Structures are given as C-alpha cells and as structure tokens.
C-alpha cells in the first residue's frame, strides 16, 4: 500500500452498474468513507442504485447512467451518459466497479486516471463467454490501476495485460444490531422451537447455485425435525427456483430483497453459501461476524477469507452440501465451535476504514503518476 501519511483529498467519480447487493454496498461504504475523508464524490450509475443504497442521502452527487447487467446496443447510450456526467466536473480519478461499469468507463475514455475494481469472475461459456473475455481484456488494458477483490482476479487481470494490479480488499459494512428477537424472526417463517433455520443471502443468479441448495433442502424433508431454508435476495433465477421448490415440496422459501439481514442472522442456526465462485462475499463476512456457523464452497477468495472458521466443501456437489449440513446439525458441540470461530476470524479482516484508506492510497498513487507524466 502507498504511504498515506498525507491523505488524498481530491475529487472522485465512482461508477457502477446494476446492483442489488455486494457491489452497491461496497460503493456506498466508500461514499461514506471518502466524504468523511474530505473528498468530493460523484456517483454515476443506474437511478435504482441511488434509491437502494442512498448515495445522495449520504452527501454525494449522483448522475444517472443506466448500465444494465448485460451488454447490448444500449451500451452506446451508457457511454454518452457517462461522458456527459463527467464533462465540466473537476474529477481527479474515475473509479469503476465491476466489469460492466469498467467497460463503459473505458469506452468513455475519461481524461483522469481510471481505477477499476474487479469484483467478479467471468463464468459464462460459449459466445457470451468469448464476448466477456474480450471485455475483460479491454478493461484490464485500459485501467491505470486494477484492484482485485481476490487474488485470482488480480492474476486474471495481469494475464490479460493489466498495467498495474494488486489486491484491494472489500470489507463488509458493519451491520446494525437486530431490531427483532430471535423468536420473532423465527415466528415470521413459522419455525417451531428446535427446528433448524438455514439462511443464505445473495442475488438469485446461476453463479450462486441455489439450485443445489434447493435440491439439498428437498432431501432434508426426511430429517426430524426438517430444517427450513430461507434465501434473501432478488434476481433472474427467481421463477425457476420458485417453480422447482414447489415441484419438490421443499421447505425452501425465497424472501426477495430484504433490508433486515441482521434480524435474519439472529434467527438463523446455520448459514450456507453454495456458489460456483465468490471473491470476498459479503454474506460470508456478515455470517461469521454474527457468530452464525457457515457451510461454504471452497471457491475464489472464500478459503482465504474464512480460513478454518467455516466448513468448506467442493463446488457443484449436492452430496457434499447435504453431508456437511447434516453433519453439523447432528453435532451441537461442533456447531457451537464454528459459531465461536466466526467472530475471531472476522476480527482479523480489514475494516471499512482500512478499505477507504486503501483506495485513498490508490488514488494518490495514480494521480501522482499522472502529474509526473505531465511534468
């Protein structure tokens, strides 16, 4: 990390695409931290993100730039909108979050240095995967500095020609205390005393492999008592999962987008992440901080994040997920041990303040290099 003895106090434009979860929460955390550090902050992204994450409410300027989740003809209008948002503003750094936002920012060719944070890996195959690989290469080479949320993302960017790339940790915002009691949360889902409540939080997207969690939940109907599984989040897989849950008669319930994750964690006995890939997944951090035992796939940045504080399983294997959950639910002492490990592990992670200091160091580095190049 660059020396931050003299904190950076410039102007930054944060750019993001459509988000209902981790990326938007991360940007909102940066907005609060950068404003507190004396920076001027402009956020460019879909109007819905400002409504959901409260960028203007926090004190930032906001310019609507519709950047949808998938590329298409609309990208040209997104590029024009971003250019208009930046024109006439004294912006020292443009910081794009995620490949979609970074792609639009790269095409807009901002005059200030471009910092890009890679939050996710490309998992698509076929023609879509080939197109995404081209986007990755363009973004890697266009960025003045690439920050990866996990080591494998940094390595990917370097392999594609990134000029400079390093790890940039994404801290989970500190959750407020629950507003409801454990009993009240469980009553919402009609979970009787002694019945396990299993929780997952994330976007309903194929990457999250909620289909595996659903298949496992159908198997758990035979357990006495049968666990209740709830998933908080919205996304394109909703209808497929809802229909499949009905067919299997599984105790698996889709809650949609929720703003009471602290309450849900207070009511949960076990947290599950079934994804094919994650970086520093926010729900993993939230679960461990809350002392909720976690079963997680060993993918991306998750093993380095959770260490021995979660029960790790291979991805894509419903038998492994089934066995892991059954083994923990059948062993209260082991379950309690994992509950205790979570907060201890969480205490070793970078805080939101650390993350803000890290991006300030990044901005200082790229602006200093830009000034040196102009000298």
């Amino acid at each position: 990390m660059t020396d931050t003895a003299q904190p950076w106090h410039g102007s930054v434009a944060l750019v993001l695409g459509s988000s209902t979860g981790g990326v938007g929460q991360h940007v909102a955390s940066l907005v609060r931290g950068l404003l507190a550090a004396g920076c001027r902050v402009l956020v460019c992204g879909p109007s819905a993100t400002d409504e959901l994450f409260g960028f203007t409410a926090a004190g930032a300027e906001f310019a609507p730039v519709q950047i949808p989740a998938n590329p298409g003809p609309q990208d040209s209008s997104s590029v024009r909108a971003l250019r208009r948002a930046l024109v006439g503003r004294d912006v020292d750094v443009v910081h794009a979050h995620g490949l979609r936002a970074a792609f639009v920012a790269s095409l807009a060719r901002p005059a200030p240095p471009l910092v890009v944070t890679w939050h996710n890996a490309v998992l698509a195959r076929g023609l879509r995967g080939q197109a995404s690989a081209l986007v990755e290469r363009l973004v890697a080479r266009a960025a003045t500095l690439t920050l990866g949320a996990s080591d494998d993302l940094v390595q990917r960017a370097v392999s594609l020609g990134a000029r400079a790339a390093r790890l940039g940790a994404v801290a989970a915002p500190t959750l407020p205390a629950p507003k409801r009691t454990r009993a009240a949360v469980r009553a919402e889902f009609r979970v009787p005393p002694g019945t396990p409540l299993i929780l997952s939080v994330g976007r309903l997207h194929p990457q999250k492999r909620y289909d595996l969690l659903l298949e496992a939940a159908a198997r758990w109907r035979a357990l006495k008592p049968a666990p209740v599984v709830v998933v908080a989040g919205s996304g394109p897989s909703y209808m497929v999962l809802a229909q499949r849950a009905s067919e299997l008669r599984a105790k698996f319930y889709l809650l949609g987008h929720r703003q009471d994750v602290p309450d849900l964690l207070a009511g949960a006995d076990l947290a599950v992440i079934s994804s094919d890939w994650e970086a520093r997944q926010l729900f993993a951090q939230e679960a461990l901080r809350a002392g909720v035992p976690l079963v997680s796939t060993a993918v991306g940045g998750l093993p380095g994040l959770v260490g021995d504080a979660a029960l790790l399983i291979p991805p894509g294997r419903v038998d492994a997920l089934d066995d892991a959950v059954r083994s923990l639910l059948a062993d209260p002492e082991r379950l309690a041990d994992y509950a205790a490990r979570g907060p201890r592990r969480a205490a070793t992670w970078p805080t939101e303040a650390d993350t803000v200091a890290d991006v300030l160091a990044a901005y200082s580095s790229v602006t200093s290099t830009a000034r040196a190049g102009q000298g």
Side-chain angles (χ1 to χ4, degrees):
M1 183 184 299
T2 302
D3 181 14
T4 56
Q6 296 181 335
W8 190 82
H9 297 300
S11 175
V12 59
L14 302 174
V15 186
L16 77 162
S18 298
S19 175
T20 59
V23 173
Q25 291 181 47
H26 175 61
V27 172
S29 175
L30 288 182
V31 166
R32 295 189 296 269
L34 292 171
L35 289 171
C39 300
R40 299 181 305 280
V41 181
L42 166 69
V43 180
C44 303
S47 300
T49 61
D50 188 35
E51 297 169 7
L52 183 58
F53 298 108
F55 304 130
T56 53
E61 285 189 80
F62 183 82
V65 177
Q66 303 305 320
I67 305 175
N70 297 312
Q74 70 278 2
D75 282 347
S76 59
S77 61
S78 300
V79 172
R80 290 194 298 270
L82 182 58
R83 284 175 180 161
R84 287 195 299 269
L86 297 177
V87 163
R89 284 189 167 94
D90 183 19
V91 173
D92 298 307
V93 176
V94 174
H95 186 175
H97 293 267
L99 287 175
R100 291 289 300 121
F103 178 63
V104 170
S106 299
L107 294 180
R109 299 183 182 277
L114 174 62
V115 175
V116 173
T117 296
W118 290 36
H119 290 271
N120 289 293
V122 172
L123 302 178
R125 298 291 183 265
L127 291 177
R128 185 175 175 186
Q130 294 173 21
S132 296
L134 291 175
V135 169
E136 282 185 301
R137 186 177 298 276
L138 185 151
V139 166
R141 296 183 176 186
T144 310
L145 173 64
T146 298
L147 302 176
S150 59
D151 287 323
D152 57 334
L153 289 177
V154 175
Q155 294 166 7
R156 175 66 175 169
V158 170
S159 73
L160 292 172
R163 286 183 270 173
R166 65 169 176 81
L167 192 65
V170 177
T174 301
L175 287 177
K179 295 181 179 179
R180 292 185 289 162
T181 65
R182 174 178 170 84
V185 174
R186 295 169 67 84
E188 176 186 351
F189 308 117
R190 299 179 182 177
V191 181
T195 296
L197 177 62
I198 298 175
L199 172 68
S200 191
V201 177
R203 186 166 181 257
L204 302 184
H205 185 277
Q207 172 191 332
K208 304 293 186 178
R209 293 309 305 267
Y210 286 128
D211 58 319
L212 292 181
L213 181 56
L214 173 54
E215 294 291 334
R219 298 183 183 187
W220 299 332
R221 288 178 54 212
L223 296 177
K224 303 295 182 183
V228 174
V229 180
V230 294
V231 178
S234 59
S237 297
Y238 179 87
M239 291 304 298
V240 173
L241 291 169
Q243 180 177 350
R244 186 60 175 157
S246 177
E247 292 171 353
L248 294 175
R249 294 184 296 120
K251 291 189 174 184
F252 179 95
Y253 304 103
L254 300 172
L255 309 182
H257 178 73
R258 299 283 292 233
Q259 295 183 316
D260 60 345
V261 172
D263 292 10
L264 298 178
L265 285 166
D269 297 288
L270 186 65
V272 172
I273 295 170
S274 50
S275 305
D276 279 338
W277 186 89
E278 297 285 356
R280 292 180 63 90
Q281 208 230 26
L282 293 184
F283 177 57
Q285 298 181 60
E286 292 165 347
L288 266 59
R289 279 180 174 162
V292 178
L294 174 66
V295 172
S296 173
T297 45
V299 295
L302 286 174
L305 175 70
V306 304
D308 65 355
L311 180 54
L312 295 174
I313 59 174
R317 291 174 51 183
V318 66
D319 289 345
L321 175 57
D322 181 17
D323 292 343
V325 169
R326 286 175 184 262
S327 69
L328 282 183
L329 294 181
D331 191 341
E333 289 187 3
R334 193 172 174 220
L335 200 64
D337 179 52
Y338 275 110
R341 293 184 191 189
R344 292 198 299 266
R345 181 68 180 182
T348 69
W349 295 334
T351 64
E352 287 186 89
D354 293 331
T355 301
V356 171
D358 187 45
V359 297
L360 286 172
Y363 301 162
S364 178
S365 173
V366 296
T367 52
S368 297
T369 300
R371 285 194 298 268
Q374 293 169 358

